[in-house]
Amino acid sequence: MKYVISISREFGSGGRIIGKKLATKLGVPCFDRTIIQKTAEKSGLSPDFIARAEERARSRFHWTIAPLGMGSPAFATQNIPVSHQAFFAQAEVIRELADQGPCVIVGRCSDYVLDDRPDCVKVFIHADLESRVERSVHEYGIPEDNAATYIHQMDRGRANYYNYYTGHNWGDMRLYDLTINSTTTGIDGAVDLIVDMLRHREEREKAAIQF
Amino acid sequence: MKYVISISREFGSGGRIIGKKLATKLGVPCFDRTIIQKTAEKSGLSPDFIARAEERARSRFHWTIAPLGMGSPAFATQNIPVSHQAFFAQAEVIRELADQGPCVIVGRCSDYVLDDRPDCVKVFIHADLESRVERSVHEYGIPEDNAATYIHQMDRGRANYYNYYTGHNWGDMRLYDLTINSTTTGIDGAVDLIVDMLRHREEREKAAIQF
């Protein structure tokens, strides 16, 4: 079966662990933070700068402070701000990874970057605030009294970043084949649902070929 | 298992047939247009007036033309516009149906009306425009050259109606446990995914009781 699964997710929804478990179940690689290192190599920008792109996007003024003409010489000669260089290089990395074979890619606007691939299956994971606070505190060590604010800030960063580069609305379900509230299904339940969806999709494709 | 499944849907996405098939599979009743008749009985308004509420909402001026003080005497004495009387009576009918036992309820803001019930599971069905046009032409007999416009108008009506009464954003995936692109899964695939989701939800509830 030919597919690339893009998983987008709210902060603290368990989307990353769902991506990892899904990849293990399907026996394919999961690309998440590894994309940052590959993007750094391609662009000449620091991994930290690339990793913090969404974080910077929390502020509505983030684009105006991007310095010009640094990073990769190829981009620099075109006067492209480094934030944009990071995005373009990352998009290239994502497309190269998808070309290598079936895989799971978590976040990084991969749903948009791979939108022209008919084999790209798009999933969005969200969750109730209560579960997200719990996960943030226990898995990411964020102080409990600050967790809800932190979650909202992270989501705002992801939304700003996504909306800016894609022109779409982050979290618009029409962009996805499946969106799941992981509070309802649990992590393993969400993994199962994605596998089931893949199976149904494959059956439909086979049927379409027959007729 | 205790549940009420609310299915919201884009026009032409197959949401209604998914609701019916799901109900058959689960052996529970599916309430769709039957809600209109029950609402008519409760409110004294005509079934046609109730059925066309979303259609009227296509125009942004729809609320201003609602005549005052007609319909049910109980509402009339409070000077509530008949459109609102229809909504309130319908909400009452939906709550009564949900009280009777497990069932599937299609549309009519049932996700919002039943939001305070922890046993309410919310699903939204959408689909690619191409599939929706095909379904509109072959199942609803809408002329092909007019189908895309008609679909957009119907969706706008549903969105206006929903947003007005609920204060939420129609189609915001965060309101739903599961959203499915039925073009990806097919009708039967969507039914299966909803059943799977119910099962995972039940397993989680059982586990929560044990601990």
Side-chain angles (χ1 to χ4, degrees):
Chain A
M1 186 174 16
K2 210 167 164 286
Y3 60 80
V4 179
I5 303 168
S6 159
I7 298 193
S8 310
R9 75 291 184 221
E10 284 185 338
F11 184 82
S13 66
R16 188 188 299 172
I17 180 75
I18 288 169
K20 276 189 200 304
K21 286 196 161 195
L22 175 67
T24 305
K25 194 161 186 170
L26 295 168
V28 302
C30 177
F31 301 113
D32 175 10
R33 293 197 168 269
T34 40
I35 294 171
I36 293 169
Q37 191 52 46
K38 286 179 196 289
T39 304
E41 286 160 20
K42 190 176 280 287
S43 66
L45 297 163
S46 83
D48 186 58
F49 180 85
I50 296 160
R52 294 166 73 97
E54 290 176 350
E55 207 176 308
R56 284 192 302 277
R58 285 186 217 167
S59 152
R60 64 171 68 193
F61 303 110
H62 62 293
W63 305 115
T64 57
I65 56 162
L68 284 163
M70 287 162 59
S72 159
F75 288 122
T77 54
Q78 301 165 47
N79 260 2
I80 296 171
V82 281
S83 300
H84 298 7
Q85 292 178 34
F87 179 82
F88 294 138
Q90 190 170 266
E92 225 175 293
V93 168
I94 289 169
R95 276 191 286 262
E96 284 168 9
L97 291 170
D99 280 341
Q100 288 170 16
C103 62
V104 176
I105 298 179
V106 179
R108 315 242 137 226
C109 302
S110 50
D111 61 309
Y112 174 77
V113 171
L114 302 174
D115 192 39
D116 55 348
R117 292 182 68 111
D119 63 346
C120 181
V121 184
K122 296 164 205 147
V123 178
F124 196 109
I125 307 293
H126 60 106
D128 294 355
L129 184 61
E130 204 178 294
S131 326
R132 298 167 69 198
V133 165
E134 203 186 310
R135 186 166 286 110
S136 303
V137 172
H138 293 111
E139 291 186 23
Y140 303 133
I142 294 157
E144 191 160 2
D145 54 356
N146 195 32
T149 309
Y150 188 80
I151 286 168
H152 284 305
Q153 282 177 343
M154 289 299 282
D155 277 356
R156 192 168 62 215
R158 285 183 185 175
N160 286 348
Y161 182 82
Y162 183 90
N163 299 352
Y164 181 86
Y165 280 113
T166 69
H168 292 153
N169 213 340
W170 188 68
D172 177 351
M173 65 164 180
R174 292 167 192 88
L175 303 168
Y176 304 95
D177 296 292
L178 191 69
T179 81
I180 302 172
N181 182 335
S182 63
T183 308
T184 306
T185 61
I187 299 298
D188 294 329
V191 172
D192 278 356
L193 283 180
I194 300 169
V195 173
D196 287 348
M197 185 260 290
L198 270 186
R199 187 170 48 79
H200 289 301
R201 183 178 161 276
E202 197 193 7
E203 280 167 10
R204 270 172 74 72
E205 283 188 351
K206 275 189 191 157
I209 293 164
Q210 281 169 359
F211 289 109
Chain B
M1 187 176 10
K2 209 168 163 288
Y3 60 79
V4 179
I5 303 168
S6 160
I7 297 191
S8 309
R9 76 288 184 221
E10 284 186 337
F11 184 80
S13 66
R16 189 188 298 172
I17 181 74
I18 288 169
K20 276 189 201 303
K21 285 195 162 196
L22 175 67
T24 304
K25 195 161 186 170
L26 296 168
V28 302
C30 177
F31 300 113
D32 175 10
R33 293 195 170 270
T34 40
I35 294 171
I36 293 169
Q37 191 52 45
K38 287 180 196 287
T39 304
E41 287 161 20
K42 190 177 278 289
S43 66
L45 297 163
S46 83
D48 186 59
F49 180 85
I50 296 159
R52 295 166 73 96
E54 290 177 351
E55 207 176 308
R56 284 193 302 276
R58 286 187 216 166
S59 152
R60 65 171 66 193
F61 302 110
H62 62 291
W63 304 116
T64 56
I65 56 162
L68 285 162
M70 287 162 59
S72 157
F75 288 122
T77 55
Q78 300 165 50
N79 261 2
I80 296 171
V82 280
S83 300
H84 298 9
Q85 292 178 35
F87 179 83
F88 294 138
Q90 190 170 265
E92 226 176 294
V93 168
I94 289 169
R95 276 192 286 263
E96 285 169 8
L97 292 171
D99 280 342
Q100 288 170 16
C103 62
V104 176
I105 298 179
V106 179
R108 316 241 135 225
C109 302
S110 51
D111 60 309
Y112 174 77
V113 171
L114 301 175
D115 192 40
D116 56 346
R117 292 182 70 112
D119 63 347
C120 180
V121 184
K122 295 163 207 148
V123 178
F124 196 108
I125 307 292
H126 60 105
D128 295 354
L129 185 60
E130 204 178 296
S131 328
R132 298 166 69 198
V133 165
E134 203 186 309
R135 187 167 286 111
S136 302
V137 172
H138 293 111
E139 291 187 24
Y140 303 135
I142 293 157
E144 191 160 1
D145 55 355
N146 195 32
T149 309
Y150 187 80
I151 286 168
H152 285 305
Q153 282 178 343
M154 290 297 284
D155 277 357
R156 193 168 62 214
R158 285 183 185 174
N160 285 348
Y161 182 83
Y162 184 88
N163 299 353
Y164 181 88
Y165 280 113
T166 69
H168 292 152
N169 214 341
W170 187 69
D172 177 351
M173 64 164 181
R174 293 169 191 86
L175 302 168
Y176 304 96
D177 296 292
L178 191 69
T179 81
I180 302 172
N181 181 335
S182 64
T183 308
T184 305
T185 61
I187 299 298
D188 293 331
V191 172
D192 278 357
L193 284 179
I194 301 168
V195 174
D196 287 349
M197 185 261 289
L198 269 186
R199 188 171 47 81
H200 289 300
R201 182 176 162 277
E202 196 192 7
E203 281 167 9
R204 270 172 74 72
E205 283 188 350
K206 273 189 191 157
I209 293 164
Q210 279 169 0
F211 289 110

